[in-house]
Amino acid sequence: MNDSLIDIVDNDKVCISNLNRQLYALHSTIGMDKVDAAEMRIHDINPDCNVVKKDIFFLPENSSEICFDNYDYIVDAVDTVSAKIEIIECAKKAGVPVISSMGTGNKLDAAAFKVSDISKTTVCPLARIMRRELRARNISGVKVVYSEEEPKKTCSNIPASISFVPPVAGYIIAGEVIKDIIGFQYSLAIKSSIS
């Protein structure tokens, strides 16, 4: 029996502005639902992986559509603060580990990312808001990936993403999830006993 299972939650479609930073965003997938494009990419890597697609825009109002108890790990990579808070709250209630991505917009230094508890973050404007909101809800112990780079000033109020920064945050998150699931501390102990 195959127990590889990934749930993807997104109701967006692939558009041309995604091409520079999203692995499944290609000219051939423009206009496709992101959950379908992501499923195709996953099956190209592992045809046996079970993918559950949830074509919804996650918000607190529809969070009951997701059964948080069913997961081994939850990755928050959404854009809205209210959704991020809801994901973290639901994960904590379910006792499921969660990692949250902070802002990558208007950043150019892919080496400035850190993994930390939200309470220890600095510089990141999104992390500052999240710290305040989580403290108000008495929620602590949230692992995040954030950048210590000051966001660049632009003419637009909409954050811009360059091709090489958001994917690095994604790879760091994936690495943290894998290390946590396999018990990285145990792996380090084995390595040091071999050396």
Side-chain angles (χ1 to χ4, degrees), residues 16-174:
I16 199 157
S17 65
N18 301 139
L19 295 178
N20 73 329
R21 67 188 183 281
Q22 294 176 5
L23 195 58
Y24 52 75
L26 307 163
H27 283 281
S28 59
T29 62
I30 289 175
M32 186 182 287
D33 287 342
K34 285 186 176 179
V35 291
D36 293 334
E39 178 188 41
M40 273 181 21
R41 176 69 184 177
I42 291 165
H43 283 155
D44 265 354
I45 296 166
N46 179 0
D48 295 327
C49 184
N50 294 312
V51 177
V52 176
K53 300 178 291 185
K54 298 182 186 298
D55 192 3
I56 62 170
F57 186 79
F58 184 88
L59 289 169
E61 301 84 68
N62 61 14
S63 64
S64 61
E65 294 181 39
I66 309 290
C67 185
F68 283 80
D69 296 337
N70 289 344
Y71 301 108
D72 294 317
Y73 215 108
I74 296 165
V75 173
D76 155 36
V78 300
D79 294 333
T80 63
V81 171
S82 62
K84 292 178 107 48
I85 299 288
E86 183 72 10
I87 289 168
I88 293 166
E89 279 188 303
C90 291
K92 290 285 188 179
K93 281 181 195 158
V96 178
V98 61
I99 187 167
S100 185
S101 178
M102 297 295 103
T104 61
N106 295 351
K107 309 277 176 99
L108 295 174
D109 185 359
F113 286 110
K114 304 279 184 215
V115 178
S116 181
D117 186 274
I118 187 74
S119 65
K120 296 184 170 91
T121 57
T122 59
V123 181
C124 177
L126 177 57
R128 185 178 314 114
I129 294 166
M130 292 291 292
R131 277 195 314 270
R132 183 186 69 228
E133 294 297 323
L134 290 169
R135 207 170 26 247
R137 290 165 176 78
N138 232 4
I139 297 173
S140 60
V142 178
K143 185 186 268 196
V144 298
V145 172
Y146 76 103
S147 174
E148 291 187 335
E149 177 187 6
E150 289 283 352
K152 305 296 180 238
K153 302 271 188 244
T154 65
C155 300
S156 170
N157 289 334
I158 300 168
S161 293
I162 195 149
S163 59
F164 51 85
V165 173
V168 170
Y171 283 126
I172 292 169
I173 288 170

